[in-house]
């Protein structure tokens, strides 16, 4: 093909584009952690009632951030599982990062262990404020952080967010900082007849993993 | 527009340069054959290409496009596709095809079975082309579905601009194929072999990184050495693409003097003019390839860095502190633009808050933070308030109300031409800015 013919074709395409534009305006390793307020132990999935993956469909893949953990406070335990998978669209739109702009969706599946505050063992613990931090190895500054939203998937309720991790694959520390439901005004019966014996935790419970993050091309 | 131009370019340009080179080899007719008394026919030792190779290549490309369309449809409309597993096989096939291609490019069976050598060159090239298209194209086909999922009407300007970005990247890829094939097919066989080999090795390293990363958590456990290797490769994929184009620049640079017709014989002035025109045409393609290579390299490095540049929040504005109250003159905040303020708490934490006039009677006032994204902050873009972390555009009228990615509301009063904010409210929220 002669260069001039290609140049002419390009010019035509350029004019077309200009006209169009003118039409409009613009499995990581696991650690255990102990915090001031909590004891944390690693637990096998057999004795932790973590939520199942939302998709048993063939196209869905979920990866663990690390082993499931049990966070303890004076009057109970929380089972915490961290998983990540493809970014998901949320409704209403505008609730956090759009799936198209995210690298993955990360979830905290938090259920009740043995406790004296009235939770049924294995049930979802509602109204928690769960902050997350994803910190590159050797750094103190999170590459991504925020507060999980409460949301429902096909497997039930959980805490989660779409996250963009521009630093890409690598070694990170992942922290879920779980604040007491009392912060959101969750109350307890304390009377003799119907009350619970225990109380919520005062200092945040912290689940922490060393995470070998492998970036995935979910659509490519 | 820029985001999608970059994303599609990153997907298609490695494929484009590889397919351009495959076409160049398939159509290779070294000028040297004529200079040495040959005719440029495919049975001469100076010539790498053959008609059969071109047919194979087109068949591979058509199969790749068909496969990509089917895969895109399956990804969009079903839940049976796990791309990670597909990618492992795409990369294994690509690496195997590249190795076989190099073997026959260097004439593994050239002396014993020259015809078979060229046939194998054609088949391995076709497999490579088809595989790469099958791998790269589905995501590009599916990008427009992202526009729609972001609640954009197909008739909107934003949709149009994104689509133009996508179309320009496709155009850049197609032109790259054309330019590379036009430039390289005239050059000496040995040069073509050497440069193609180097580009294949660069691409091979990049593909091996993708393959290993796709294998993690599926076929193999994440392990130290392999993890570090694949991270280094995949996290630096733009550099590999840049290197492929940089090495490819050898071709047009060499073609420029090589295209000269000075030493070629002619019988009459008409033939002389034809030879000169041929030289001019080759040099124009060489120049064009240099320009396209520059655009490609800049796109995945400089332009990408510019597009991903972190937004800097506007500086905090001054205000008057009167005891336990912050006073902000109304005229300072009545222009309809975003205004940012920062109050230092008793323990030295800077609590930021924003103010924007919503209408004649009310203001949107909130912390420069939200429940979802934390203290990341908001900025003004084209008259709209946007969350710096998640890029969500706020509905101005809802600023000052709870919910979603809205700024955490802050109460205020109006008094004697001032907006008044209580410092106690900011002290209460200081833990958000630690």
């Amino acid at each position: 093909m002669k260069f001039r013919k290609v140049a002419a074709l390009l010019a035509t395409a350029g004019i077309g584009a200009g006209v169009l534009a003118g039409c409009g305006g613009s499995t990581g390793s696991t650690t255990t952690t102990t915090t001031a307020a909590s004891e944390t132990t690693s637990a096998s999935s057999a004795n932790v009632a973590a939520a199942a993956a939302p998709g048993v469909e063939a196209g869905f893949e979920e990866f663990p951030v690390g082993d499931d953990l049990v966070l303890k406070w004076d009057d109970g335990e929380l089972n915490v599982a961290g998983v990540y998978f493809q970014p998901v669209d949320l409704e209403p739109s505008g609730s956090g990062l759009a799936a198209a702009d995210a690298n993955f969706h990360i979830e905290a599946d938090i259920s009740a262990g043995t406790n004296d505050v009235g939770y049924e063992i294995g049930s979802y613990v509602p109204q928690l404020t769960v902050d997350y931090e994803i910190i590159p190895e050797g750094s103190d500054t999170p590459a991504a952080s925020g507060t999980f939203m409460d949301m429902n998937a096909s497997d039930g309720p959980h805490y989660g967010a779409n996250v963009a991790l521009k630093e890409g694959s690598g070694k990170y520390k992942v922290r879920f900082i779980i604040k007491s439901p009392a912060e959101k005004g969750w109350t307890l019966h304390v009377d003799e007849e119907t009350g619970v014996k225990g109380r919520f935790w005062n200092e945040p419970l912290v689940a922490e993993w060393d995470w070998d993050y492998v970036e995935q091309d979910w659509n490519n | 527009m820029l985001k999608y131009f970059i994303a599609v370019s990153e997907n298609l340009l490695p494929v484009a340069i590889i397919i351009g080179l495959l076409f160049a080899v398939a159509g290779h007719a070294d000028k040297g054959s004529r200079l040495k008394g040959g005719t440029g026919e495919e049975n001469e030792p100076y010539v790498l290409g053959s008609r059969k190779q071109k047919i194979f290549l087109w068949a591979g490309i058509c199969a790749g496009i068909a496969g990509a369309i089917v895969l895109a449809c399956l990804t969009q409309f079903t839940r049976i596709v796990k791309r990670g597993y597909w990618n492992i096989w795409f990369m294994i096939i690509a690496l195997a095809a590249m190795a076989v291609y190099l073997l026959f490019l260097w004439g593994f069976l050239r002396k014993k079975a020259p015809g078979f050598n060229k046939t194998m060159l054609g088949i391995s090239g076709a497999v490579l082309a088809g595989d790469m298209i099958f791998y790269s194209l589905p995501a590009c086909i599916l990008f427009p579905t992202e526009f729609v999922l972001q609640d954009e009407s197909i008739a909107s300007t934003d949709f149009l601009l994104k689509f133009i970005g996508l179309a320009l990247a496709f155009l850049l890829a197609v032109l790259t194929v054309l330019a590379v094939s036009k430039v390289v097919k005239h050059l000496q066989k040995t040069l073509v072999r050497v440069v193609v080999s180097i580009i294949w090795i660069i691409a091979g390293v990049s593909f091996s990184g993708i393959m290993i990363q796709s294998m993690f958590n599926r076929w193999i456990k994440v392990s130290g050495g392999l993890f570090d290797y694949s991270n280094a490769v995949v996290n630096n994929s733009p550099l590999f693409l840049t290197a492929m184009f940089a090495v490819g620049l050898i071709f047009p640079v060499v073609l420029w003097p090589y295209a000269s017709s000075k030493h070629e014989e002619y019988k009459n002035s008409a033939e002389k003019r034809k030879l000169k025109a041929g030289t001019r045409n080759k040099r124009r393609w060489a120049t064009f390839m240099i320009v396209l290579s520059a655009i490609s390299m800049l796109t995945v490095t400089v332009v990408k860095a510019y597009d991903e540049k972190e937004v800097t929040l506007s500086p905090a504005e001054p205000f008057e502190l009167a005891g336990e109250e912050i006073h902000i003159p109304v005229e300072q905040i009545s222009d309809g633009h975003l205004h940012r303020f920062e109050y230092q708490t008793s323990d030295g934490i800077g609590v930021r808050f924003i103010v924007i006039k919503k209408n004649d009677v009310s203001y949107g006032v909130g912390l420069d933070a939200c429940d979802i994204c934390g203290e990341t902050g908001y900025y003004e873009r084209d008259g709209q308030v946007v969350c710096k972390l998640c890029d969500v555009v706020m509905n101005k009228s809802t600023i000052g109300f709870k919910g979603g990615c809205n700024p955490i509301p802050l109460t205020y009063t109006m008094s004697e031409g001032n907006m008044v904010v209580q410092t106690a409210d900011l002290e209460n929220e200081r833990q958000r800015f630690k």
Side-chain angles (χ1 to χ4, degrees):
Chain A
M1 191 183 288
K2 295 290 180 202
F3 185 84
R4 279 187 179 172
K5 286 184 188 171
V6 176
L9 279 172
L10 274 178
T12 311
I15 291 166
V19 170
L20 281 171
C23 292
S26 101
T27 317
S29 54
T30 308
T31 59
T32 56
T33 307
T34 304
T35 67
S38 68
E39 258 184 73
T40 306
T41 52
S42 179
S44 73
S45 53
N47 57 23
V48 173
V56 288
E57 296 90 351
F60 179 81
E61 280 187 287
E62 183 181 76
F63 301 100
V65 173
D67 286 348
D68 299 349
L69 301 177
V70 179
L71 304 184
K72 296 179 180 176
W73 82 100
D74 291 345
D75 297 320
E77 295 173 350
L78 290 180
N79 302 318
V80 183
V83 294
Y84 74 107
F85 48 91
Q86 67 208 41
V88 295
D89 293 306
L90 300 167
E91 192 180 295
S93 61
S95 303
L97 196 63
D101 297 324
N103 295 107
F104 55 85
H105 180 82
I106 189 167
E107 275 187 19
D109 290 316
I110 303 175
S111 59
T114 53
N115 68 90
D116 289 332
V117 288
Y119 292 126
E120 187 182 343
I121 293 176
S123 65
Y124 167 74
V125 181
Q127 282 289 85
L128 297 174
T129 300
V130 184
D131 294 337
Y132 68 94
E133 293 178 344
I134 302 174
I135 305 160
E137 189 179 64
S139 170
D140 294 329
T141 311
S145 63
T147 305
F148 285 139
M149 293 174 282
D150 327 47
M151 57 184 73
N152 280 4
S154 55
D155 64 334
H158 62 269
Y159 300 92
N162 287 337
V163 172
L165 202 56
K166 287 180 184 168
E167 285 77 358
S169 299
K171 292 180 180 297
Y172 295 88
K173 197 171 280 299
V174 173
R175 263 187 218 129
F176 293 168
I177 301 150
I178 304 165
K179 297 175 184 169
S180 164
E183 284 194 16
K184 283 190 175 175
W186 197 272
T187 54
L188 294 171
H189 288 211
V190 292
D191 59 285
E192 281 291 321
E193 290 80 11
T194 68
V196 296
K197 291 177 186 165
R199 296 293 180 266
F200 290 128
W201 56 98
N202 294 317
E203 291 297 314
L205 303 176
V206 180
E208 186 175 295
W209 296 271
D210 288 326
W211 185 36
D212 290 340
Y213 167 58
V214 178
E215 189 171 350
Q216 302 288 338
D217 285 334
W218 305 106
N219 285 319
N220 192 32
Chain B
M1 181 167 110
L2 208 51
K3 177 186 161 190
Y4 287 97
F5 175 69
I6 295 165
V8 177
S9 295
E10 282 186 320
N11 261 312
L12 294 183
L13 286 176
V15 189
I17 194 167
I18 287 171
I19 292 178
L21 289 171
L22 293 172
F23 267 116
V25 171
H28 183 259
D30 184 357
K31 190 180 72 170
S33 67
R34 290 196 302 278
L35 287 177
K36 292 170 187 169
T39 58
E41 297 299 322
E42 65 181 61
N43 58 352
E44 291 183 10
Y46 314 104
V47 177
L48 288 166
S50 70
R51 191 169 172 273
K52 208 190 272 182
Q53 283 179 40
K54 283 187 185 169
I55 294 170
F56 281 136
L57 190 51
W58 274 113
I61 290 170
C62 291
I65 292 172
I69 292 169
V70 171
L71 187 57
C73 291
L74 289 175
T75 305
Q76 182 65 20
F77 301 115
T78 74
R79 293 176 176 180
I80 63 172
V81 178
K82 288 181 179 175
R83 269 314 295 263
Y85 288 98
W86 287 70
N87 288 351
I88 297 172
W89 285 109
F90 282 138
M91 291 301 118
I92 289 174
I93 292 168
L95 289 167
M98 288 169 91
V100 174
Y101 189 86
L102 278 186
L103 208 61
F104 289 101
L105 181 69
W106 283 94
F108 175 55
L109 290 174
R110 184 172 54 89
K111 287 182 181 163
K112 284 184 184 170
F116 180 71
N117 196 88
K118 284 192 175 177
T119 302
M120 286 305 294
L121 196 58
I123 292 174
S124 56
V127 170
L128 178 59
D131 180 71
M132 292 315 301
I133 291 172
F134 203 170
Y135 166 71
S136 300
L137 200 55
C140 303
I141 295 171
L142 291 173
F143 273 131
T145 62
E146 282 186 9
F147 311 164
V148 178
L149 284 173
Q150 289 170 15
D151 290 344
E152 281 180 16
S153 159
I154 291 178
S156 73
T157 301
D158 218 31
F159 186 95
L160 186 67
L161 286 172
K162 286 175 179 170
F163 200 82
I164 289 172
L166 188 136
L168 285 175
F170 269 94
L171 185 65
L172 178 62
V174 170
L175 290 175
T176 299
V177 174
L178 201 59
V180 171
S181 66
K182 290 286 177 190
V183 167
V184 180
K185 72 176 185 179
H186 299 293
L187 291 166
Q188 298 112 314
K189 187 172 65 178
T190 308
L191 177 74
V192 174
R193 283 172 167 168
V194 169
V195 178
V196 167
S197 301
I198 296 171
I199 292 176
W200 256 226
I201 290 167
I202 297 169
V205 172
S206 178
F207 296 162
S208 69
I210 297 170
M211 181 186 70
I212 294 167
Q213 200 149 79
S214 301
M215 286 177 169
F216 284 145
N217 294 325
R218 294 189 178 96
W219 285 12
I220 55 176
K221 283 191 171 181
V222 178
S223 65
L226 275 180
F227 187 57
D228 294 340
Y229 169 79
S230 65
N231 290 348
V233 172
V234 176
N235 290 348
N236 292 297
S237 57
L239 293 183
F240 283 89
L241 183 55
T242 306
M244 286 167 74
F245 275 97
V247 173
L249 281 173
I250 294 172
F251 290 127
V253 169
V254 172
L255 182 66
W256 192 267
Y258 190 69
S260 169
S261 58
K262 270 184 190 170
H263 303 295
E264 293 201 45
E265 290 175 6
Y266 52 87
K267 289 173 186 163
N268 51 46
S269 56
E271 268 194 12
K272 187 182 177 184
R273 283 198 301 278
K274 192 179 172 187
L275 284 170
K276 277 191 170 177
T279 301
R280 203 162 47 239
N281 195 45
K282 286 171 193 164
R283 287 183 171 168
R284 281 177 177 166
W285 277 114
T287 309
F288 191 48
M289 183 178 163
I290 292 170
V291 171
L292 287 178
S293 299
I295 292 172
S296 301
M297 290 189 284
L298 288 171
T299 298
V300 297
T301 54
V302 177
V303 179
K304 190 181 181 190
Y306 169 78
D307 188 54
E308 293 178 351
K309 193 174 66 178
E310 194 173 336
V311 174
T312 308
L313 297 180
S314 59
E317 298 176 24
F319 56 81
E320 185 193 337
L321 188 60
E324 305 274 293
E325 293 180 341
I326 288 170
H327 289 192
I328 303 166
V330 168
E331 53 268 25
Q332 188 178 340
I333 50 174
S334 56
D335 57 2
H337 289 291
L338 180 78
H339 296 270
R340 194 182 325 277
F341 302 91
E342 183 171 333
Y343 166 75
Q344 291 294 320
T345 61
S346 49
D347 48 355
I349 296 169
V351 177
R352 301 191 311 271
F353 63 99
I354 56 171
V355 177
I356 189 165
K357 186 170 185 182
K358 299 199 285 193
N359 51 48
D360 285 344
V361 292
S362 69
Y363 292 82
V365 184
L367 296 178
D368 200 15
C370 81
D371 281 326
I372 301 167
C373 301
E375 55 156 320
T376 182
Y378 300 84
Y379 67 99
E380 192 174 340
R381 185 176 68 200
D382 301 329
Q384 294 177 306
V385 179
V386 182
C387 171
K388 186 182 158 189
L389 180 69
C390 67
D391 206 42
V392 168
V393 176
M394 302 296 122
N395 181 345
K396 221 188 256 189
S397 62
T398 66
I399 295 176
F401 297 101
K402 281 184 81 168
C405 196
N406 268 356
I408 295 154
L410 197 59
T411 53
Y412 70 94
T413 53
M414 303 302 286
S415 169
E416 296 172 357
N418 285 313
M419 173 179 280
V420 180
V421 175
Q422 301 298 322
T423 58
D425 293 339
L426 298 170
E427 292 278 354
N428 288 341
E429 300 286 359
R430 67 185 186 279
Q431 79 282 356
R432 295 183 188 273
F433 292 86
K434 276 182 181 174

